[in-house]
Amino acid sequence: MMGLDLTLIWAAIIGFGVIMYVLMDGFDLGLGILYPFAPDEESRDVMMNSIAPIWDGNETWLVLGGAGLLGAFPLVYSVFLPALYIGVFLMLAGLIFRGISFEFRFKSKKNRHWWNRAFCWGSAIAAFAQGAVVGAYIQGFAVEDFVYVGGALDWLTPFTVLTGLGLMAGYALLGATWLILKSEGHVQAWAYSIAPKLLLAVLVVFGIVSLWTPLVSLDVRARWLDQLHLIWVFPILAMACAAMLYRSVKRQQEGLPFVMALGLFIFTYLGLIASKWPVIVPPDYTIWDAASAPESQLFMLVGMIFVIPVVLAYTAWSYWVFRGKVKVGEGYH
């Protein structure tokens, strides 16, 4: 490992884990957000059955990224957790309620409506909390001598509320395009009808956040002005994905809308990284400031070399096994 920057390697691993979680778990959170708007109970059955075999595997990336972050960048935990205790608690509580609603909804007849609500509210709260955390990361934290000195609710501002609602809209868009891919008949027709509206909501929030970000983060504003020719490549590619997504929905294509929705998220994520790099605890601390000892990074890296291929293989295998359409009246069991 001599000559390699282990901190850069770990930054790439954590970054990969984060985007994999967002992409993999985003569409099933999105289906939960859309749940109360489904046309009927049969549609809700199709929505849940389309993700029931894979949702827990999707969350593997959250565990993988969180564990890696703790070991490789302990400063992130020592600052982010005190700053975001309430937001992280809301996210985890939402994920727990959503998780238990899967099995209980399948088994409960009399109280199914309560588990429908748990699935919806759990998904919505988790998605909002994740978006708010992203907004808090953009606006930065009150840190002195590597210690968080702000309040418990400093993360909750009008800007973070907007980013929370924006991520909810983005996840709902992912969910709608996933449903286009996995359903048919009146369920698919409903997904086709709501996808353009959700895309418009995402683009509106994207535009407002882009205008607001330089006002809440001076370092991002400086980065945008200094490297305008590079950073704006990502928004342009994201807009290209949005245009192709809209056109593919209007042409009633099935796979391309979901792929373009994933592309929209990927390029937005890369734009965020480019705007902050190499800062990991804004406004001042870089990945090298936050890194653990090289010996610790090397020890964990040996394990990750084996774990990541296994997780990727399992993910690919599960999606392959449960490929194809989910039909009304059919479950995954």
Side-chain angles (χ1 to χ4, degrees), residues 4-84:
L4 294 179
D5 190 330
L6 294 175
T7 299
L8 279 177
I9 294 173
W10 268 106
I13 291 173
I14 300 302
F16 178 71
V18 169
I19 191 59
M20 285 297 292
Y21 170 75
V22 168
L23 298 181
M24 297 291 98
D25 207 35
F27 65 81
D28 54 54
L29 287 171
L31 287 182
I33 294 168
L34 295 174
Y35 219 58
F37 307 104
D40 50 44
E41 196 66 17
E42 286 185 337
S43 302
R44 295 186 182 96
D45 289 340
V46 170
M47 294 166 72
M48 185 164 278
N49 285 330
S50 73
I51 57 174
I54 56 177
W55 74 270
D56 48 352
N58 292 342
E59 292 193 350
T60 303
W61 295 102
L62 180 62
V63 177
L64 188 69
L69 190 66
L70 174 61
F73 300 103
L75 178 63
V76 175
Y77 263 77
S78 67
V79 172
F80 278 32
L81 284 186
L84 303 169

Side-chain angles (χ1 to χ4, degrees), residues 248-269:
S248 61
V249 168
K250 289 302 181 182
R251 292 181 176 181
Q252 303 276 290
Q253 294 175 282
E254 294 189 338
L256 192 58
F258 182 62
V259 173
M260 289 299 103
L262 295 178
L264 181 60
F265 267 82
I266 290 171
F267 290 121
T268 301
Y269 177 68

Side-chain angles (χ1 to χ4, degrees), residues 169-243:
Y171 280 171
L173 177 62
L174 276 176
T177 56
W178 170 258
L179 199 58
I180 289 172
L181 176 66
K182 298 292 289 184
S183 66
E184 56 187 14
H186 76 285
V187 182
Q188 187 185 59
W190 173 70
Y192 273 125
S193 69
I194 62 172
K197 300 180 181 68
L198 292 169
L199 177 60
L200 177 61
V202 170
L203 294 179
V204 168
V205 174
F206 183 87
I208 297 173
V209 169
S210 297
L211 294 174
W212 200 342
T213 295
L215 301 178
V216 301
S217 178
L218 297 180
D219 59 319
V220 170
R221 180 168 65 186
R223 177 69 59 86
W224 283 6
L225 293 175
D226 292 341
Q227 301 183 13
L228 187 65
H229 60 294
L230 295 176
I231 290 178
W232 283 96
V233 170
F234 299 114
I236 291 172
L237 292 173
M239 290 303 99
C241 288

